[in-house]
Amino acid sequence: GAAGVLTLALSFASQTSASNLVSGVFLLIEHPFRVGDTIKVKSFTGTVESLDLLSTKLRTSDNTLVRLPNETLIKTEIINLSHYKTRRADLLIYIVYESDIKKASELLLSLVEQNPLALKKPAVIEVVPNFKDSSIKLKLSVWAKTKELGKLKASLYTNINDAFKNSKIETLSATGDTSSER
């Protein structure tokens, strides 16, 4: 009886290992990502540390190791955030209804033009206003080199905040709080 239970347990374990092994071979052949790429799988985002036959290891931004079985990767949507040399940053800015949309739009475009991290091509996508219950949502889409995307977003948000304060354009957070309440 014990031998039967042991045999059953071993067969299930070997089935999982075999599935991970075959999936690892497919990942090595297909190359949806390489070591060093930043990928998003399910709720995990991290840099690929290793791609082994049974599993793939990611290092997250908070320096946590995540081990993903290769079978999971084959069955799951993988988003490779560093595959292309350029990426688009979509910035959402919420302003109060009393603000001048045209002035805000022109200011945003001039800030992008002055930012050395923003690429000229592909060109910036125009500011698109969208009217919400308590604010006007402006969407600004800017292209940057993939490795500089975070720096671009941080510098643009800082510059937008300063420029809007100087121009008396009142912003809101995504939750509806005015800039003076934050």
Side-chain angles (χ1 to χ4, degrees), residues 141-168:
S141 299
V142 184
W143 289 85
K145 291 181 181 174
T146 298
K147 291 181 180 183
E148 297 175 341
L149 191 69
K151 289 179 190 175
L152 171 74
K153 288 174 80 170
S155 69
L156 279 176
Y157 274 127
T158 300
N159 294 342
I160 289 167
N161 186 49
D162 293 343
F164 277 18
K165 279 182 184 176
N166 293 337
S167 298
K168 309 284 190 253

Short mmCIF file of all heavy atoms in Angstrom, two decimals, residues 141-168:
data_model
loop_
_atom_site.label_atom_id
_atom_site.label_comp_id
_atom_site.label_asym_id
_atom_site.label_seq_id
_atom_site.Cartn_x
_atom_site.Cartn_y
_atom_site.Cartn_z
N SER A 141 0.86 61.94 -23.86
CA SER A 141 1.62 60.74 -24.20
C SER A 141 2.94 61.15 -24.84
O SER A 141 2.96 61.83 -25.86
CB SER A 141 0.83 59.87 -25.17
OG SER A 141 -0.38 59.46 -24.56
N VAL A 142 4.04 60.73 -24.21
CA VAL A 142 5.38 61.13 -24.60
C VAL A 142 6.25 59.88 -24.75
O VAL A 142 6.15 58.95 -23.96
CB VAL A 142 6.01 62.04 -23.52
CG1 VAL A 142 7.36 62.55 -23.97
CG2 VAL A 142 5.09 63.19 -23.17
N TRP A 143 7.12 59.89 -25.75
CA TRP A 143 8.01 58.76 -25.99
C TRP A 143 9.38 59.02 -25.40
O TRP A 143 9.87 60.15 -25.40
CB TRP A 143 8.14 58.49 -27.49
CG TRP A 143 6.88 57.93 -28.07
CD1 TRP A 143 5.80 58.64 -28.52
CD2 TRP A 143 6.55 56.56 -28.23
NE1 TRP A 143 4.83 57.77 -28.96
CE2 TRP A 143 5.27 56.50 -28.80
CE3 TRP A 143 7.23 55.38 -27.96
CZ2 TRP A 143 4.64 55.30 -29.10
CZ3 TRP A 143 6.60 54.18 -28.27
CH2 TRP A 143 5.32 54.16 -28.83
N ALA A 144 10.01 57.95 -24.91
CA ALA A 144 11.36 58.03 -24.35
C ALA A 144 12.08 56.71 -24.59
O ALA A 144 11.47 55.71 -24.96
CB ALA A 144 11.30 58.31 -22.85
N LYS A 145 13.39 56.74 -24.38
CA LYS A 145 14.13 55.49 -24.40
C LYS A 145 13.65 54.66 -23.22
O LYS A 145 13.38 55.19 -22.15
CB LYS A 145 15.63 55.76 -24.29
CG LYS A 145 16.20 56.42 -25.51
CD LYS A 145 17.69 56.66 -25.37
CE LYS A 145 18.21 57.36 -26.61
NZ LYS A 145 19.63 57.74 -26.45
N THR A 146 13.51 53.37 -23.41
CA THR A 146 12.95 52.49 -22.38
C THR A 146 13.67 52.64 -21.05
O THR A 146 13.04 52.70 -20.00
CB THR A 146 12.99 51.03 -22.87
OG1 THR A 146 12.19 50.93 -24.04
CG2 THR A 146 12.47 50.07 -21.83
N LYS A 147 15.00 52.72 -21.07
CA LYS A 147 15.77 52.81 -19.83
C LYS A 147 15.57 54.15 -19.12
O LYS A 147 15.88 54.25 -17.94
CB LYS A 147 17.25 52.58 -20.12
CG LYS A 147 17.56 51.16 -20.54
CD LYS A 147 19.02 50.95 -20.79
CE LYS A 147 19.25 49.51 -21.22
NZ LYS A 147 20.66 49.22 -21.43
N GLU A 148 15.07 55.16 -19.81
CA GLU A 148 14.90 56.49 -19.23
C GLU A 148 13.45 56.85 -18.96
O GLU A 148 13.14 57.97 -18.59
CB GLU A 148 15.54 57.54 -20.14
CG GLU A 148 17.03 57.35 -20.30
CD GLU A 148 17.65 58.32 -21.30
OE1 GLU A 148 16.91 58.89 -22.13
OE2 GLU A 148 18.87 58.50 -21.24
N LEU A 149 12.54 55.90 -19.13
CA LEU A 149 11.12 56.17 -19.00
C LEU A 149 10.74 56.67 -17.60
O LEU A 149 10.01 57.65 -17.47
CB LEU A 149 10.31 54.91 -19.34
CG LEU A 149 8.82 55.12 -19.51
CD1 LEU A 149 8.52 55.92 -20.77
CD2 LEU A 149 8.10 53.79 -19.56
N GLY A 150 11.24 56.03 -16.57
CA GLY A 150 10.94 56.45 -15.20
C GLY A 150 11.45 57.85 -14.91
O GLY A 150 10.77 58.66 -14.28
N LYS A 151 12.67 58.15 -15.37
CA LYS A 151 13.25 59.48 -15.17
C LYS A 151 12.43 60.54 -15.90
O LYS A 151 12.21 61.64 -15.37
CB LYS A 151 14.69 59.52 -15.68
CG LYS A 151 15.66 58.75 -14.85
CD LYS A 151 17.05 58.85 -15.46
CE LYS A 151 18.02 57.90 -14.81
NZ LYS A 151 19.33 57.92 -15.47
N LEU A 152 11.98 60.21 -17.12
CA LEU A 152 11.17 61.16 -17.89
C LEU A 152 9.88 61.48 -17.15
O LEU A 152 9.52 62.65 -16.99
CB LEU A 152 10.85 60.61 -19.28
CG LEU A 152 9.83 61.42 -20.08
CD1 LEU A 152 10.45 62.71 -20.59
CD2 LEU A 152 9.24 60.62 -21.21
N LYS A 153 9.17 60.45 -16.70
CA LYS A 153 7.91 60.67 -16.01
C LYS A 153 8.11 61.50 -14.74
O LYS A 153 7.36 62.44 -14.49
CB LYS A 153 7.24 59.33 -15.68
CG LYS A 153 6.68 58.62 -16.90
CD LYS A 153 6.17 57.24 -16.58
CE LYS A 153 4.81 57.30 -15.95
NZ LYS A 153 4.18 55.97 -15.85
N ALA A 154 9.13 61.16 -13.96
CA ALA A 154 9.38 61.90 -12.72
C ALA A 154 9.70 63.36 -13.01
O ALA A 154 9.16 64.26 -12.35
CB ALA A 154 10.53 61.25 -11.95
N SER A 155 10.54 63.61 -13.99
CA SER A 155 10.91 65.01 -14.29
C SER A 155 9.73 65.78 -14.86
O SER A 155 9.52 66.95 -14.51
CB SER A 155 12.11 65.07 -15.23
OG SER A 155 11.78 64.63 -16.53
N LEU A 156 8.93 65.13 -15.70
CA LEU A 156 7.77 65.83 -16.26
C LEU A 156 6.74 66.16 -15.18
O LEU A 156 6.22 67.27 -15.14
CB LEU A 156 7.13 65.02 -17.38
CG LEU A 156 7.79 65.13 -18.75
CD1 LEU A 156 7.11 64.20 -19.75
CD2 LEU A 156 7.76 66.56 -19.26
N TYR A 157 6.45 65.20 -14.30
CA TYR A 157 5.48 65.48 -13.24
C TYR A 157 5.95 66.63 -12.34
O TYR A 157 5.18 67.49 -11.95
CB TYR A 157 5.18 64.23 -12.41
CG TYR A 157 4.09 63.35 -13.00
CD1 TYR A 157 4.30 62.00 -13.21
CD2 TYR A 157 2.84 63.87 -13.33
CE1 TYR A 157 3.30 61.19 -13.74
CE2 TYR A 157 1.84 63.07 -13.84
CZ TYR A 157 2.07 61.73 -14.05
OH TYR A 157 1.08 60.94 -14.58
N THR A 158 7.25 66.64 -12.03
CA THR A 158 7.80 67.73 -11.20
C THR A 158 7.68 69.06 -11.93
O THR A 158 7.23 70.06 -11.36
CB THR A 158 9.28 67.43 -10.86
OG1 THR A 158 9.34 66.20 -10.14
CG2 THR A 158 9.88 68.55 -10.02
N ASN A 159 8.08 69.08 -13.20
CA ASN A 159 8.02 70.32 -13.99
C ASN A 159 6.58 70.79 -14.19
O ASN A 159 6.31 71.99 -14.16
CB ASN A 159 8.71 70.14 -15.34
CG ASN A 159 10.20 69.90 -15.19
OD1 ASN A 159 10.80 70.19 -14.16
ND2 ASN A 159 10.81 69.33 -16.22
N ILE A 160 5.67 69.85 -14.39
CA ILE A 160 4.25 70.21 -14.57
C ILE A 160 3.71 70.82 -13.29
O ILE A 160 3.03 71.85 -13.31
CB ILE A 160 3.43 68.96 -14.98
CG1 ILE A 160 3.77 68.55 -16.41
CG2 ILE A 160 1.93 69.23 -14.85
CD1 ILE A 160 3.26 67.17 -16.80
N ASN A 161 4.03 70.22 -12.17
CA ASN A 161 3.57 70.73 -10.88
C ASN A 161 4.05 72.17 -10.68
O ASN A 161 3.26 73.06 -10.33
CB ASN A 161 4.05 69.83 -9.75
CG ASN A 161 3.48 70.23 -8.41
OD1 ASN A 161 2.28 70.43 -8.27
ND2 ASN A 161 4.35 70.34 -7.42
N ASP A 162 5.34 72.41 -10.92
CA ASP A 162 5.90 73.76 -10.74
C ASP A 162 5.29 74.75 -11.73
O ASP A 162 4.90 75.86 -11.34
CB ASP A 162 7.42 73.73 -10.92
CG ASP A 162 8.12 72.94 -9.83
OD1 ASP A 162 7.50 72.70 -8.76
OD2 ASP A 162 9.29 72.56 -10.03
N ALA A 163 5.18 74.35 -12.99
CA ALA A 163 4.66 75.26 -14.01
C ALA A 163 3.19 75.59 -13.77
O ALA A 163 2.77 76.74 -13.96
CB ALA A 163 4.85 74.64 -15.40
N PHE A 164 2.41 74.60 -13.36
CA PHE A 164 1.00 74.85 -13.10
C PHE A 164 0.81 75.76 -11.89
O PHE A 164 -0.06 76.61 -11.88
CB PHE A 164 0.23 73.54 -12.91
CG PHE A 164 -0.18 72.87 -14.20
CD1 PHE A 164 0.41 73.20 -15.42
CD2 PHE A 164 -1.15 71.91 -14.21
CE1 PHE A 164 0.03 72.59 -16.60
CE2 PHE A 164 -1.56 71.29 -15.38
CZ PHE A 164 -0.96 71.63 -16.58
N LYS A 165 1.64 75.60 -10.86
CA LYS A 165 1.57 76.49 -9.70
C LYS A 165 1.86 77.93 -10.13
O LYS A 165 1.16 78.85 -9.72
CB LYS A 165 2.57 76.06 -8.63
CG LYS A 165 2.10 74.93 -7.77
CD LYS A 165 3.15 74.61 -6.70
CE LYS A 165 2.74 73.41 -5.89
NZ LYS A 165 3.77 73.02 -4.91
N ASN A 166 2.91 78.11 -10.94
CA ASN A 166 3.29 79.45 -11.40
C ASN A 166 2.24 80.06 -12.32
O ASN A 166 2.11 81.28 -12.39
CB ASN A 166 4.64 79.42 -12.11
CG ASN A 166 5.78 79.09 -11.16
OD1 ASN A 166 5.67 79.29 -9.96
ND2 ASN A 166 6.86 78.55 -11.71
N SER A 167 1.51 79.24 -13.05
CA SER A 167 0.51 79.73 -14.00
C SER A 167 -0.90 79.76 -13.40
O SER A 167 -1.87 79.98 -14.12
CB SER A 167 0.51 78.84 -15.25
OG SER A 167 1.75 78.91 -15.89
N LYS A 168 -1.01 79.43 -12.12
CA LYS A 168 -2.30 79.45 -11.42
C LYS A 168 -3.30 78.45 -12.01
O LYS A 168 -4.48 78.72 -12.08
CB LYS A 168 -2.92 80.86 -11.42
CG LYS A 168 -2.00 81.96 -10.94
CD LYS A 168 -1.86 81.92 -9.43
CE LYS A 168 -1.15 83.17 -8.93
NZ LYS A 168 0.19 82.96 -8.49
#
